[in-house]
Structures are given as C-alpha cells and as structure tokens.
Amino acid sequence: MKLKIHNNLISRGFTLIELLVVIAIIGILSSVVLASLNTARTKGRDAARISNVKSLETAMELYYNDNNGYPTSNGSSNGDVLLSDATLVGKLVPKYIPSMPAILVADGDHYYANGATSGVQPNGYDMLIYIEATNSRCRAGTLPGNTGDWGVPTVCNF
C-alpha cells in the first residue's frame, strides 16, 4: 500500500496490481476447495450406495428365509432386470425393505437370480452396482461374478 501526499491531503489505497494479486490468490484457493468438496461428495454418494446395497442384501436374505429362495423377476425366469423392476420391487417392498433404494434405481443397477428354473426358487443372486469414484461397475450378491452376461468380473469390495 502506498501513501500518497497530494495537495496537503493524505490518501491511502491499494494499487491495481495489489488488488489483482489478492483476487488471483482467492481464486486459486477457492478452486482447490471446490475440487476437494467434489471429491468428498463423490465419496459420500458411494458410501450411501454401499449402505443401500447392504440393506438390499439383508432384504434378500430375509426373503430367502421366508421363501426358501431368492426373488425372481417374473416367477419362473431368473432374467437380468433393473432393480426398479415392478415384480422384484413387489416381492421385497415393504415387507423386507421399506423402499427400493433410490440411488441404486437411479444408477440403473441390475439384479440377476442364479439357478432359477420352473417351479424352483433360485439359490443365489447377483447384482451389478455402479461405483461413482471409479466410474465403473462391480458385482455383489451371493455368487458375484458367476452368472449374467454383464462382462464385469470385478467383485465389489465392501
């Protein structure tokens, strides 16, 4: 800051260069903070996904205990369906889980019942789950990676 004497008056102020330097520093600091917040948000959404998958797995086990098998999408077919499939939701909600987790439905995650044949309940299930931090999908369930045509060999590590 320069001190200027002009016509016996003292005026104080910042130069244009000083103001530009301060604005640049504030801009750099704010961009670093915003980048860190974005990473934290991604991790938070993935933590919510993991929690929802575990709740869904618990619902599947409760269904298994009552029905001696995992739910199928339409009675006799195991099929690859979205978690939003009406038949699947009807079998789980509200008795085994209050609602199908919205974040898993929004991600377009899939469900596949393993080993279902006409009149026989499936002996396992597979779910295809989106993970935002890695921008990829992994498999969860009782026999992840053994069935379906997803081409995703990675098993979820949670």
Side-chain angles (χ1 to χ4, degrees):
M1 182 164 59
K2 292 184 179 180
L3 184 63
K4 297 180 183 180
I5 301 176
H6 184 63
N7 293 338
N8 294 331
L9 295 174
I10 298 176
S11 65
R12 297 177 188 210
F14 294 103
T15 65
L16 181 60
I17 302 262
E18 290 171 331
L19 289 174
L20 290 175
V21 167
V22 169
I23 291 171
I25 290 171
I26 291 171
I28 291 170
L29 289 175
S30 65
S31 66
V32 168
V33 168
L34 288 176
S36 297
L37 286 177
N38 194 32
T39 302
R41 285 186 191 121
T42 300
K43 288 181 181 180
R45 285 189 296 267
D46 281 345
R49 282 182 184 90
I50 291 167
S51 174
N52 288 335
V53 167
K54 289 182 181 185
S55 295
L56 193 53
E57 287 175 338
T58 300
M60 295 289 185
E61 294 305 320
L62 292 170
Y63 183 93
Y64 183 88
N65 286 340
D66 288 349
N67 299 288
N68 205 22
Y70 295 100
T72 57
S73 60
N74 61 10
S76 64
S77 170
N78 50 0
D80 173 8
V81 297
L82 293 172
L83 288 177
S84 60
D85 178 70
T87 305
L88 181 63
V89 171
K91 290 182 178 182
L92 296 175
V93 175
K95 184 174 182 181
Y96 301 105
I97 193 167
S99 65
M100 194 58 76
I103 196 167
L104 300 180
V105 170
D107 289 342
D109 294 339
H110 289 251
Y111 171 81
Y112 188 91
N114 302 334
T117 58
S118 184
V120 177
Q121 288 289 337
N123 59 7
Y125 67 91
D126 207 2
M127 291 187 293
L128 187 63
I129 306 298
Y130 173 72
I131 302 297
E132 187 174 356
T134 59
N135 195 26
S136 63
R137 296 193 179 267
C138 63
R139 290 174 177 241
T142 58
L143 304 168
N146 292 336
T147 61
D149 297 324
W150 298 323
V152 178
T154 306
V155 176
C156 297
N157 293 324
F158 48 80

